[in-house]
Amino acid sequence: MARAATTSDVFNAIAEPRRREIVDLLARGAERDVTELVLRLGLSQPTVSKHLGVLRKVGVVAVHKAGQRRLYRLNPEELKPVHDWIQNFERFWTDQLASIKEAAERKVKQRAAQDRGASNPQSISKEQSHG
Amino acid sequence: MARAATTSDVFNAIAEPRRREIVDLLARGAERDVTELVLRLGLSQPTVSKHLGVLRKVGVVAVHKAGQRRLYRLNPEELKPVHDWIQNFERFWTDQLASIKEAAERKVKQRAAQDRGASNPQSISKEQSHG
DNA sequence: TTGATATATTCTCGTATAGGAATATACTTA
DNA sequence: TAAGTATATTCCTATACGAGAATATATCAA
């Protein structure tokens, strides 16, 4: 079996960095035509059109015609599955932040105890594996 | 140029659904050996080992040996770039929630106005494109 | 109509899969 | 040492890219 198509889902679509750049540009709010994207990305027009085609197929962007131009806009709803999935791991880095904070507070308390002249702070040596 | 390697970054690594399943299993906290993952995923042992190899190369999982088994654990920090990127779009769905709420409130007010006998509510026909 | 501009599509090529099958490697136990 | 278990690696094949080049299609301007 080969690798899944980039158009199979949003996770595959955004695996390509140029496509994430396109999404980032469109996230700034305004609609943009292909030429604008070409200029900003420094890629060839066919390359940009092909990337837009992938994003279109998974629904991450939408187009409408305006004369001879095509105006692309972001359709952020389609990014939500990525958000929902990665959200499940948020606790890991918030927990980490929390424990960094805790460690800092322990250190402050310890220092305060030392300042008061206590020479034998109760064992706080555990959970200090600094990476 | 071919598609980027699945080991080139975390976005490519998690594009594959089975690898996301592995990450989900490891996120439940405990370390797991390969056999456990094989049983839970219903894939062949070589397939699982190969997916683990990809996740290892991008740093999303870490291993250590325990006898003849290899215990895998999640290394959630490496998922953070995905979180950070997708976070930039969170405003879109929170804004959307906000506007749904607003619309609901407008509707309530309108109904209240009708209940009071007002038969000509001021033009509220715009921004009502329901998909 | 003719030429110019904007965008999409097709073709080609090198490359990287994902999974199955077979095999290699490392460790354990008798 | 030999057999058994756990895991990784190699070989194979069908498939799908991503970019460049060339071309097709649609619209505008004169």
Side-chain angles (χ1 to χ4, degrees), chain B residues 99-100 102-103 106 123-130:
Chain B
S99 65
I100 287 170
E102 264 178 47
R106 272 201 306 277
S123 160
I124 49 173
S125 57
K126 269 202 171 168
E127 314 228 2
Q128 292 218 350
S129 66
H130 271 263

Side-chain angles (χ1 to χ4, degrees), chain A residues 79-88, chain B residues 93:
Chain A
L79 291 170
K80 202 150 186 300
V82 179
H83 177 265
D84 290 347
W85 183 73
I86 205 72
Q87 196 74 7
N88 292 329
Chain B
W93 33 86

Side-chain angles (χ1 to χ4, degrees), chain B residues 64 84 101 120:
Chain B
H64 75 266
D84 290 346
K101 218 166 129 188
N120 186 22

Side-chain angles (χ1 to χ4, degrees), chain B:
Chain B
M1 195 189 277
R3 201 191 319 195
T6 56
T7 53
S8 62
D9 63 32
V10 62
F11 287 92
N12 277 282
I14 65 163
E16 158 61 54
R18 317 292 195 160
R19 286 196 287 266
R20 287 202 300 281
E21 281 189 63
I22 291 176
V23 169
D24 286 338
L25 283 173
L26 295 179
R28 302 181 96 72
E31 289 185 326
R32 301 199 188 262
D33 65 27
V34 179
T35 300
E36 266 181 283
L37 295 172
V38 166
L39 292 176
R40 300 219 178 226
L41 296 169
L43 302 173
S44 76
Q45 177 267 312
T47 293
V48 172
S49 276
K50 279 181 277 189
H51 282 316
L52 286 169
V54 171
L55 293 173
R56 231 166 41 216
K57 264 180 194 147
V58 300
V60 168
V61 304
V63 214
H64 75 266
K65 293 165 74 171
Q68 60 194 139
R69 296 183 302 155
R70 310 289 166 100
L71 294 179
Y72 281 84
R73 66 172 175 79
L74 188 64
N75 188 18
E77 279 186 27
E78 294 299 319
L79 290 170
K80 201 149 185 300
V82 179
H83 177 265
D84 290 346
W85 183 74
I86 205 72
Q87 195 75 6
N88 292 329
F89 307 98
E90 194 170 38
R91 59 186 163 97
F92 287 114
W93 33 86
T94 56
D95 284 3
Q96 196 188 16
L97 279 181
S99 65
I100 287 170
K101 218 166 129 188
E102 264 178 47
E105 281 163 7
R106 272 201 306 277
K107 207 169 275 181
V108 166
K109 279 183 191 170
Q110 178 188 351
R111 195 165 299 150
Q114 285 174 342
D115 286 350
R116 285 196 308 273
S119 63
N120 186 22
Q122 309 183 3
S123 160
I124 49 173
S125 57
K126 269 202 171 168
E127 314 228 2
Q128 292 218 350
S129 66
H130 271 263

Side-chain angles (χ1 to χ4, degrees), chain A residues 79-119:
Chain A
L79 291 170
K80 202 150 186 300
V82 179
H83 177 265
D84 290 347
W85 183 73
I86 205 72
Q87 196 74 7
N88 292 329
F89 308 98
E90 194 170 38
R91 61 189 163 97
F92 288 113
W93 33 87
T94 55
D95 283 2
Q96 197 187 17
L97 279 182
S99 64
I100 287 170
K101 217 166 129 187
E102 263 179 48
E105 281 163 7
R106 271 200 306 276
K107 207 169 276 180
V108 167
K109 278 183 191 168
Q110 178 186 352
R111 194 165 300 149
Q114 285 174 342
D115 287 351
R116 284 197 309 272
S119 62

Side-chain angles (χ1 to χ4, degrees), chain A residues 22 26 30-38 45 48-50 52-53 56 61-74:
Chain A
I22 291 176
L26 294 179
E31 288 184 327
R32 301 201 189 261
D33 64 28
V34 179
T35 301
E36 267 182 281
L37 295 172
V38 166
Q45 176 267 310
V48 172
S49 277
K50 280 180 278 189
L52 287 169
R56 233 166 41 217
V61 304
V63 215
H64 74 267
K65 292 166 74 172
Q68 61 194 141
R69 297 183 302 155
R70 309 289 167 99
L71 295 180
Y72 281 83
R73 65 171 175 79
L74 187 64

